[in-house]
mmCIF file of all heavy atoms in Angstrom:
data_model
loop_
_atom_site.group_PDB
_atom_site.id
_atom_site.type_symbol
_atom_site.label_atom_id
_atom_site.label_comp_id
_atom_site.label_asym_id
_atom_site.label_seq_id
_atom_site.Cartn_x
_atom_site.Cartn_y
_atom_site.Cartn_z
ATOM 1 N N GLY A 9 25.969 -21.463 -10.123
ATOM 2 C CA GLY A 9 26.570 -22.572 -9.392
ATOM 3 C C GLY A 9 27.226 -22.204 -8.086
ATOM 4 O O GLY A 9 27.782 -23.075 -7.405
ATOM 5 N N THR A 10 27.152 -20.921 -7.705
ATOM 6 C CA THR A 10 27.761 -20.476 -6.462
ATOM 7 C C THR A 10 26.771 -19.615 -5.684
ATOM 8 O O THR A 10 25.749 -19.155 -6.222
ATOM 9 C CB THR A 10 29.018 -19.636 -6.721
ATOM 10 O OG1 THR A 10 28.637 -18.392 -7.356
ATOM 11 C CG2 THR A 10 30.016 -20.376 -7.614
ATOM 12 N N GLU A 11 27.104 -19.367 -4.433
ATOM 13 C CA GLU A 11 26.273 -18.497 -3.610
ATOM 14 C C GLU A 11 26.142 -17.110 -4.231
ATOM 15 O O GLU A 11 25.040 -16.553 -4.301
ATOM 16 C CB GLU A 11 26.878 -18.385 -2.208
ATOM 17 C CG GLU A 11 26.163 -17.396 -1.305
ATOM 18 C CD GLU A 11 26.885 -17.168 0.009
ATOM 19 O OE1 GLU A 11 27.711 -18.026 0.410
ATOM 20 O OE2 GLU A 11 26.621 -16.127 0.658
ATOM 21 N N GLN A 12 27.255 -16.535 -4.684
ATOM 22 C CA GLN A 12 27.223 -15.189 -5.253
ATOM 23 C C GLN A 12 26.357 -15.125 -6.502
ATOM 24 O O GLN A 12 25.567 -14.201 -6.689
ATOM 25 C CB GLN A 12 28.645 -14.725 -5.588
ATOM 26 C CG GLN A 12 28.733 -13.277 -6.070
ATOM 27 C CD GLN A 12 28.310 -12.289 -5.003
ATOM 28 O OE1 GLN A 12 28.807 -12.330 -3.891
ATOM 29 N NE2 GLN A 12 27.376 -11.405 -5.328
ATOM 30 N N GLN A 13 26.502 -16.131 -7.368
ATOM 31 C CA GLN A 13 25.709 -16.152 -8.597
ATOM 32 C C GLN A 13 24.223 -16.301 -8.291
ATOM 33 O O GLN A 13 23.391 -15.633 -8.908
ATOM 34 C CB GLN A 13 26.197 -17.280 -9.506
ATOM 35 C CG GLN A 13 27.569 -17.040 -10.106
ATOM 36 C CD GLN A 13 28.160 -18.290 -10.733
ATOM 37 O OE1 GLN A 13 27.791 -19.411 -10.389
ATOM 38 N NE2 GLN A 13 29.097 -18.093 -11.666
ATOM 39 N N ALA A 14 23.895 -17.169 -7.342
ATOM 40 C CA ALA A 14 22.481 -17.348 -6.976
ATOM 41 C C ALA A 14 21.914 -16.083 -6.340
ATOM 42 O O ALA A 14 20.776 -15.682 -6.629
ATOM 43 C CB ALA A 14 22.334 -18.534 -6.032
ATOM 44 N N ALA A 15 22.717 -15.437 -5.490
ATOM 45 C CA ALA A 15 22.260 -14.202 -4.842
ATOM 46 C C ALA A 15 22.026 -13.105 -5.872
ATOM 47 O O ALA A 15 21.030 -12.375 -5.810
ATOM 48 C CB ALA A 15 23.280 -13.753 -3.807
ATOM 49 N N ASP A 16 22.947 -12.974 -6.833
ATOM 50 C CA ASP A 16 22.790 -11.966 -7.886
ATOM 51 C C ASP A 16 21.543 -12.252 -8.723
ATOM 52 O O ASP A 16 20.795 -11.334 -9.092
ATOM 53 C CB ASP A 16 24.026 -11.941 -8.785
ATOM 54 C CG ASP A 16 25.253 -11.362 -8.094
ATOM 55 O OD1 ASP A 16 25.097 -10.714 -7.041
ATOM 56 O OD2 ASP A 16 26.368 -11.572 -8.618
ATOM 57 N N TRP A 17 21.342 -13.531 -9.045
ATOM 58 C CA TRP A 17 20.186 -13.918 -9.848
ATOM 59 C C TRP A 17 18.881 -13.536 -9.145
ATOM 60 O O TRP A 17 17.986 -12.932 -9.750
ATOM 61 C CB TRP A 17 20.232 -15.425 -10.104
ATOM 62 C CG TRP A 17 19.043 -15.961 -10.836
ATOM 63 C CD1 TRP A 17 17.855 -16.364 -10.289
ATOM 64 C CD2 TRP A 17 18.896 -16.124 -12.251
ATOM 65 N NE1 TRP A 17 16.991 -16.782 -11.275
ATOM 66 C CE2 TRP A 17 17.600 -16.645 -12.481
ATOM 67 C CE3 TRP A 17 19.745 -15.898 -13.337
ATOM 68 C CZ2 TRP A 17 17.139 -16.938 -13.762
ATOM 69 C CZ3 TRP A 17 19.276 -16.199 -14.617
ATOM 70 C CH2 TRP A 17 18.002 -16.702 -14.813
ATOM 71 N N LEU A 18 18.779 -13.867 -7.873
ATOM 72 C CA LEU A 18 17.538 -13.588 -7.153
ATOM 73 C C LEU A 18 17.327 -12.092 -6.941
ATOM 74 O O LEU A 18 16.192 -11.611 -6.986
ATOM 75 C CB LEU A 18 17.537 -14.325 -5.814
ATOM 76 C CG LEU A 18 17.467 -15.851 -5.911
ATOM 77 C CD1 LEU A 18 17.435 -16.477 -4.520
ATOM 78 C CD2 LEU A 18 16.250 -16.306 -6.717
ATOM 79 N N ALA A 19 18.404 -11.353 -6.718
ATOM 80 C CA ALA A 19 18.264 -9.896 -6.574
ATOM 81 C C ALA A 19 17.769 -9.279 -7.878
ATOM 82 O O ALA A 19 16.897 -8.385 -7.873
ATOM 83 C CB ALA A 19 19.604 -9.284 -6.165
ATOM 84 N N ASP A 20 18.314 -9.755 -9.002
ATOM 85 C CA ASP A 20 17.827 -9.255 -10.291
ATOM 86 C C ASP A 20 16.360 -9.614 -10.493
ATOM 87 O O ASP A 20 15.563 -8.809 -10.989
ATOM 88 C CB ASP A 20 18.657 -9.844 -11.431
ATOM 89 C CG ASP A 20 20.037 -9.217 -11.552
ATOM 90 O OD1 ASP A 20 20.251 -8.142 -10.942
ATOM 91 O OD2 ASP A 20 20.897 -9.799 -12.242
ATOM 92 N N GLN A 21 15.989 -10.841 -10.113
ATOM 93 C CA GLN A 21 14.601 -11.266 -10.264
ATOM 94 C C GLN A 21 13.672 -10.414 -9.402
ATOM 95 O O GLN A 21 12.564 -10.056 -9.825
ATOM 96 C CB GLN A 21 14.465 -12.743 -9.904
ATOM 97 C CG GLN A 21 13.135 -13.361 -10.287
ATOM 98 C CD GLN A 21 13.150 -14.874 -10.154
ATOM 99 O OE1 GLN A 21 14.199 -15.488 -10.068
ATOM 100 N NE2 GLN A 21 11.983 -15.476 -10.136
ATOM 101 N N LEU A 22 14.121 -10.074 -8.210
ATOM 102 C CA LEU A 22 13.336 -9.216 -7.320
ATOM 103 C C LEU A 22 13.021 -7.886 -7.987
ATOM 104 O O LEU A 22 11.860 -7.440 -8.000
ATOM 105 C CB LEU A 22 14.094 -8.988 -6.012
ATOM 106 C CG LEU A 22 13.559 -7.908 -5.075
ATOM 107 C CD1 LEU A 22 12.193 -8.303 -4.520
ATOM 108 C CD2 LEU A 22 14.553 -7.654 -3.930
ATOM 109 N N HIS A 23 14.047 -7.239 -8.529
ATOM 110 C CA HIS A 23 13.875 -5.887 -9.061
ATOM 111 C C HIS A 23 13.276 -5.858 -10.469
ATOM 112 O O HIS A 23 12.468 -4.977 -10.787
ATOM 113 C CB HIS A 23 15.216 -5.156 -9.058
ATOM 114 C CG HIS A 23 15.757 -4.893 -7.692
ATOM 115 N ND1 HIS A 23 15.165 -4.026 -6.807
ATOM 116 C CD2 HIS A 23 16.833 -5.412 -7.038
ATOM 117 C CE1 HIS A 23 15.855 -4.005 -5.663
ATOM 118 N NE2 HIS A 23 16.865 -4.838 -5.784
ATOM 119 N N LEU A 24 13.679 -6.802 -11.312
ATOM 120 C CA LEU A 24 13.277 -6.760 -12.712
ATOM 121 C C LEU A 24 11.973 -7.490 -12.987
ATOM 122 O O LEU A 24 11.292 -7.190 -13.976
ATOM 123 C CB LEU A 24 14.386 -7.363 -13.592
ATOM 124 C CG LEU A 24 15.737 -6.661 -13.520
ATOM 125 C CD1 LEU A 24 16.768 -7.407 -14.370
ATOM 126 C CD2 LEU A 24 15.617 -5.210 -13.969
ATOM 127 N N SER A 25 11.622 -8.438 -12.138
ATOM 128 C CA SER A 25 10.412 -9.232 -12.368
ATOM 129 C C SER A 25 9.364 -9.003 -11.282
ATOM 130 O O SER A 25 8.288 -8.477 -11.545
ATOM 131 C CB SER A 25 10.784 -10.716 -12.453
ATOM 132 O OG SER A 25 9.642 -11.507 -12.681
ATOM 133 N N LEU A 26 9.677 -9.373 -10.051
ATOM 134 C CA LEU A 26 8.672 -9.314 -8.993
ATOM 135 C C LEU A 26 8.180 -7.890 -8.749
ATOM 136 O O LEU A 26 6.969 -7.651 -8.652
ATOM 137 C CB LEU A 26 9.253 -9.896 -7.699
ATOM 138 C CG LEU A 26 8.223 -10.154 -6.599
ATOM 139 C CD1 LEU A 26 7.387 -11.391 -6.918
ATOM 140 C CD2 LEU A 26 8.898 -10.320 -5.240
ATOM 141 N N ALA A 27 9.087 -6.931 -8.635
ATOM 142 C CA ALA A 27 8.689 -5.564 -8.297
ATOM 143 C C ALA A 27 7.812 -4.945 -9.371
ATOM 144 O O ALA A 27 6.874 -4.205 -9.063
ATOM 145 C CB ALA A 27 9.935 -4.700 -8.074
ATOM 146 N N ARG A 28 8.097 -5.260 -10.622
ATOM 147 C CA ARG A 28 7.373 -4.628 -11.725
ATOM 148 C C ARG A 28 6.066 -5.342 -12.064
ATOM 149 O O ARG A 28 5.298 -4.831 -12.882
ATOM 150 C CB ARG A 28 8.267 -4.573 -12.970
ATOM 151 C CG ARG A 28 9.540 -3.771 -12.764
ATOM 152 C CD ARG A 28 10.280 -3.517 -14.057
ATOM 153 N NE ARG A 28 10.663 -4.759 -14.728
ATOM 154 C CZ ARG A 28 11.316 -4.782 -15.894
ATOM 155 N NH1 ARG A 28 11.622 -3.650 -16.510
ATOM 156 N NH2 ARG A 28 11.650 -5.942 -16.444
ATOM 157 N N ALA A 29 5.837 -6.492 -11.445
ATOM 158 C CA ALA A 29 4.641 -7.263 -11.779
ATOM 159 C C ALA A 29 3.821 -7.547 -10.529
ATOM 160 O O ALA A 29 2.964 -6.757 -10.140
ATOM 161 C CB ALA A 29 5.049 -8.554 -12.498
ATOM 162 N N ASP A 30 4.086 -8.674 -9.865
ATOM 163 C CA ASP A 30 3.200 -9.105 -8.779
ATOM 164 C C ASP A 30 3.195 -8.148 -7.595
ATOM 165 O O ASP A 30 2.150 -7.948 -6.968
ATOM 166 C CB ASP A 30 3.598 -10.507 -8.319
ATOM 167 C CG ASP A 30 3.224 -11.577 -9.341
ATOM 168 O OD1 ASP A 30 2.712 -11.204 -10.425
ATOM 169 O OD2 ASP A 30 3.446 -12.766 -9.075
ATOM 170 N N LEU A 31 4.337 -7.570 -7.265
ATOM 171 C CA LEU A 31 4.348 -6.602 -6.163
ATOM 172 C C LEU A 31 3.493 -5.383 -6.501
ATOM 173 O O LEU A 31 2.777 -4.858 -5.635
ATOM 174 C CB LEU A 31 5.781 -6.153 -5.847
ATOM 175 C CG LEU A 31 6.564 -6.926 -4.803
ATOM 176 C CD1 LEU A 31 7.938 -6.295 -4.609
ATOM 177 C CD2 LEU A 31 5.821 -6.991 -3.481
ATOM 178 N N ALA A 32 3.579 -4.928 -7.737
ATOM 179 C CA ALA A 32 2.766 -3.782 -8.153
ATOM 180 C C ALA A 32 1.285 -4.128 -8.118
ATOM 181 O O ALA A 32 0.445 -3.275 -7.791
ATOM 182 C CB ALA A 32 3.183 -3.339 -9.553
ATOM 183 N N VAL A 33 0.937 -5.368 -8.431
ATOM 184 C CA VAL A 33 -0.454 -5.804 -8.359
ATOM 185 C C VAL A 33 -0.936 -5.803 -6.906
ATOM 186 O O VAL A 33 -2.031 -5.308 -6.595
ATOM 187 C CB VAL A 33 -0.617 -7.201 -8.982
ATOM 188 C CG1 VAL A 33 -1.991 -7.788 -8.657
ATOM 189 C CG2 VAL A 33 -0.417 -7.137 -10.486
ATOM 190 N N VAL A 34 -0.137 -6.345 -5.996
ATOM 191 C CA VAL A 34 -0.506 -6.350 -4.579
ATOM 192 C C VAL A 34 -0.719 -4.920 -4.085
ATOM 193 O O VAL A 34 -1.691 -4.625 -3.369
ATOM 194 C CB VAL A 34 0.562 -7.065 -3.731
ATOM 195 C CG1 VAL A 34 0.271 -6.889 -2.237
ATOM 196 C CG2 VAL A 34 0.619 -8.551 -4.083
ATOM 197 N N ALA A 35 0.180 -4.011 -4.477
ATOM 198 C CA ALA A 35 0.097 -2.621 -4.037
ATOM 199 C C ALA A 35 -1.227 -1.988 -4.447
ATOM 200 O O ALA A 35 -1.801 -1.176 -3.705
ATOM 201 C CB ALA A 35 1.261 -1.827 -4.618
ATOM 202 N N GLN A 36 -1.736 -2.351 -5.617
ATOM 203 C CA GLN A 36 -2.988 -1.765 -6.099
ATOM 204 C C GLN A 36 -4.214 -2.548 -5.648
ATOM 205 O O GLN A 36 -5.309 -1.991 -5.516
ATOM 206 C CB GLN A 36 -2.940 -1.672 -7.626
ATOM 207 C CG GLN A 36 -1.861 -0.733 -8.133
ATOM 208 C CD GLN A 36 -1.753 -0.715 -9.645
ATOM 209 O OE1 GLN A 36 -2.699 -1.054 -10.348
ATOM 210 N NE2 GLN A 36 -0.607 -0.308 -10.154
ATOM 211 N N ALA A 37 -4.024 -3.850 -5.420
ATOM 212 C CA ALA A 37 -5.175 -4.679 -5.053
ATOM 213 C C ALA A 37 -5.600 -4.491 -3.603
ATOM 214 O O ALA A 37 -6.786 -4.622 -3.288
ATOM 215 C CB ALA A 37 -4.855 -6.154 -5.316
ATOM 216 N N VAL A 38 -4.660 -4.193 -2.703
ATOM 217 C CA VAL A 38 -5.022 -4.013 -1.296
ATOM 218 C C VAL A 38 -6.054 -2.890 -1.134
ATOM 219 O O VAL A 38 -7.130 -3.112 -0.539
ATOM 220 C CB VAL A 38 -3.777 -3.780 -0.422
ATOM 221 C CG1 VAL A 38 -4.173 -3.299 0.973
ATOM 222 C CG2 VAL A 38 -2.948 -5.058 -0.312
ATOM 223 N N PRO A 39 -5.802 -1.667 -1.656
ATOM 224 C CA PRO A 39 -6.846 -0.643 -1.523
ATOM 225 C C PRO A 39 -8.109 -0.961 -2.311
ATOM 226 O O PRO A 39 -9.209 -0.562 -1.903
ATOM 227 C CB PRO A 39 -6.154 0.631 -2.041
ATOM 228 C CG PRO A 39 -5.005 0.161 -2.858
ATOM 229 C CD PRO A 39 -4.568 -1.123 -2.250
ATOM 230 N N ALA A 40 -7.986 -1.682 -3.423
ATOM 231 C CA ALA A 40 -9.176 -2.052 -4.191
ATOM 232 C C ALA A 40 -10.065 -3.005 -3.396
ATOM 233 O O ALA A 40 -11.299 -2.867 -3.396
ATOM 234 C CB ALA A 40 -8.763 -2.686 -5.519
ATOM 235 N N TRP A 41 -9.474 -3.957 -2.703
ATOM 236 C CA TRP A 41 -10.264 -4.855 -1.847
ATOM 237 C C TRP A 41 -10.940 -4.066 -0.734
ATOM 238 O O TRP A 41 -12.110 -4.310 -0.408
ATOM 239 C CB TRP A 41 -9.372 -5.932 -1.235
ATOM 240 C CG TRP A 41 -9.090 -7.123 -2.094
ATOM 241 C CD1 TRP A 41 -7.876 -7.589 -2.501
ATOM 242 C CD2 TRP A 41 -10.050 -8.047 -2.633
ATOM 243 N NE1 TRP A 41 -8.012 -8.725 -3.262
ATOM 244 C CE2 TRP A 41 -9.346 -9.032 -3.348
ATOM 245 C CE3 TRP A 41 -11.442 -8.138 -2.570
ATOM 246 C CZ2 TRP A 41 -9.974 -10.097 -3.998
ATOM 247 C CZ3 TRP A 41 -12.081 -9.189 -3.218
ATOM 248 C CH2 TRP A 41 -11.351 -10.149 -3.927
ATOM 249 N N ARG A 42 -10.212 -3.121 -0.147
ATOM 250 C CA ARG A 42 -10.784 -2.362 0.973
ATOM 251 C C ARG A 42 -11.951 -1.483 0.551
ATOM 252 O O ARG A 42 -12.858 -1.217 1.347
ATOM 253 C CB ARG A 42 -9.684 -1.523 1.633
ATOM 254 C CG ARG A 42 -8.739 -2.373 2.475
ATOM 255 C CD ARG A 42 -7.616 -1.579 3.073
ATOM 256 N NE ARG A 42 -6.857 -2.427 4.003
ATOM 257 C CZ ARG A 42 -5.588 -2.222 4.321
ATOM 258 N NH1 ARG A 42 -4.932 -1.194 3.807
ATOM 259 N NH2 ARG A 42 -4.981 -3.033 5.166
ATOM 260 N N SER A 43 -11.939 -1.039 -0.680
ATOM 261 C CA SER A 43 -13.033 -0.204 -1.169
ATOM 262 C C SER A 43 -14.093 -1.007 -1.905
ATOM 263 O O SER A 43 -15.007 -0.436 -2.504
ATOM 264 C CB SER A 43 -12.488 0.895 -2.089
ATOM 265 O OG SER A 43 -11.851 0.317 -3.230
ATOM 266 N N ALA A 44 -13.956 -2.340 -1.872
ATOM 267 C CA ALA A 44 -14.904 -3.251 -2.534
ATOM 268 C C ALA A 44 -15.036 -2.932 -4.020
ATOM 269 O O ALA A 44 -16.122 -3.031 -4.604
ATOM 270 C CB ALA A 44 -16.263 -3.208 -1.849
ATOM 271 N N ASP A 45 -13.914 -2.574 -4.633
ATOM 272 C CA ASP A 45 -13.890 -2.267 -6.070
ATOM 273 C C ASP A 45 -13.632 -3.561 -6.840
ATOM 274 O O ASP A 45 -12.525 -3.844 -7.285
ATOM 275 C CB ASP A 45 -12.798 -1.237 -6.359
ATOM 276 C CG ASP A 45 -12.864 -0.693 -7.777
ATOM 277 O OD1 ASP A 45 -13.566 -1.296 -8.612
ATOM 278 O OD2 ASP A 45 -12.178 0.313 -8.059
ATOM 279 N N HIS A 46 -14.690 -4.348 -7.005
ATOM 280 C CA HIS A 46 -14.537 -5.679 -7.582
ATOM 281 C C HIS A 46 -14.193 -5.643 -9.059
ATOM 282 O O HIS A 46 -13.528 -6.560 -9.570
ATOM 283 C CB HIS A 46 -15.802 -6.496 -7.332
ATOM 284 C CG HIS A 46 -16.067 -6.731 -5.877
ATOM 285 N ND1 HIS A 46 -15.276 -7.543 -5.094
ATOM 286 C CD2 HIS A 46 -17.028 -6.235 -5.053
ATOM 287 C CE1 HIS A 46 -15.741 -7.564 -3.864
ATOM 288 N NE2 HIS A 46 -16.794 -6.770 -3.808
ATOM 289 N N SER A 47 -14.614 -4.606 -9.763
ATOM 290 C CA SER A 47 -14.235 -4.494 -11.169
ATOM 291 C C SER A 47 -12.730 -4.261 -11.298
ATOM 292 O O SER A 47 -12.079 -4.807 -12.201
ATOM 293 C CB SER A 47 -15.015 -3.365 -11.853
ATOM 294 O OG SER A 47 -14.729 -2.109 -11.254
ATOM 295 N N ARG A 48 -12.180 -3.467 -10.394
ATOM 296 C CA ARG A 48 -10.736 -3.229 -10.398
ATOM 297 C C ARG A 48 -9.979 -4.519 -10.048
ATOM 298 O O ARG A 48 -8.964 -4.839 -10.671
ATOM 299 C CB ARG A 48 -10.389 -2.125 -9.392
ATOM 300 C CG ARG A 48 -8.913 -1.835 -9.217
ATOM 301 C CD ARG A 48 -8.304 -1.334 -10.501
ATOM 302 N NE ARG A 48 -6.936 -0.861 -10.282
ATOM 303 C CZ ARG A 48 -6.040 -0.732 -11.262
ATOM 304 N NH1 ARG A 48 -6.365 -1.017 -12.525
ATOM 305 N NH2 ARG A 48 -4.829 -0.299 -10.995
ATOM 306 N N ILE A 49 -10.469 -5.252 -9.077
ATOM 307 C CA ILE A 49 -9.864 -6.535 -8.716
ATOM 308 C C ILE A 49 -9.859 -7.476 -9.911
ATOM 309 O O ILE A 49 -8.865 -8.157 -10.187
ATOM 310 C CB ILE A 49 -10.608 -7.166 -7.530
ATOM 311 C CG1 ILE A 49 -10.360 -6.361 -6.241
ATOM 312 C CG2 ILE A 49 -10.202 -8.616 -7.344
ATOM 313 C CD1 ILE A 49 -8.920 -6.349 -5.784
#
């Protein structure tokens, strides 16, 4: 309900959810697309 609480929530979501999932997928998918590794994609 406050700026601090929302900021803490989003920072936790960044590190605990986004970084360990979708960001890690992007990190691996970029070189896979460049090498045309469609099975990896």
